[in-house]
Amino acid sequence: MNRKMVSAHEYKEVTKVAAKYIEALRVGSVDMLADLFHKNAVTYGTVDGQLVGGGSINPAAEFIKIHGKSPEIEAHIDVLDLSPSTAAVRIVMEKDAIGSDCNENLLLIKLDAGWTVVAKVFHQFDK
């Protein structure tokens, strides 16, 4: 059977979540960021070669609290995979609040309230 499983609308909805994530970093809004992540989401990544993250803290929120907004941030969003209830998104970012570049991968799940981030892994490149 050759049946389309996911509409173009769902790709747009997932992309909106990723774009809102980037906007939260741009304007320095921890509240906007919190709206995107499930309360039990996990985040892991590397900063200066060291593993950071876990389930109890969101490194992006901590980054905003310490460094503020990222007005010069540039980003590209790729939806890598999408099913009726799951999505994988890659965000390539440049020029955050401290001038660093990152690749971030978000895993999302579709709940009654819409798409939400349940996991994030990221790599911060050397400056």
Side-chain angles (χ1 to χ4, degrees), residues 7-106:
S7 69
H9 173 77
E10 288 301 331
Y11 278 89
K12 289 177 185 176
E13 291 300 307
V14 167
T15 302
K16 281 182 193 177
V17 173
K20 190 172 179 184
Y21 172 73
I22 296 162
E23 187 61 16
L25 295 173
R26 182 184 325 283
V27 300
S29 176
V30 174
D31 291 336
M32 187 185 296
L33 198 64
D35 290 343
L36 303 173
F37 282 76
H38 188 274
K39 65 178 182 171
N40 295 322
V42 295
T43 300
Y44 285 98
T46 57
V47 175
D48 297 326
Q50 299 296 313
L51 180 66
V52 298
S56 60
I57 57 168
N58 183 335
E62 293 302 309
F63 181 87
I64 289 172
K65 289 175 186 174
I66 294 167
H67 302 289
K69 56 187 166 184
S70 301
E72 296 182 28
I73 200 165
E74 295 287 334
H76 174 79
I77 300 168
D78 291 311
V79 177
L80 302 175
D81 194 29
L82 185 59
S83 76
S85 64
T86 62
V89 175
R90 174 180 53 219
I91 304 173
V92 178
M93 287 193 282
E94 299 173 343
K95 298 183 225 162
D96 66 13
I98 61 170
S100 66
D101 302 336
C102 295
N103 280 3
E104 305 202 1
N105 294 280
L106 306 178

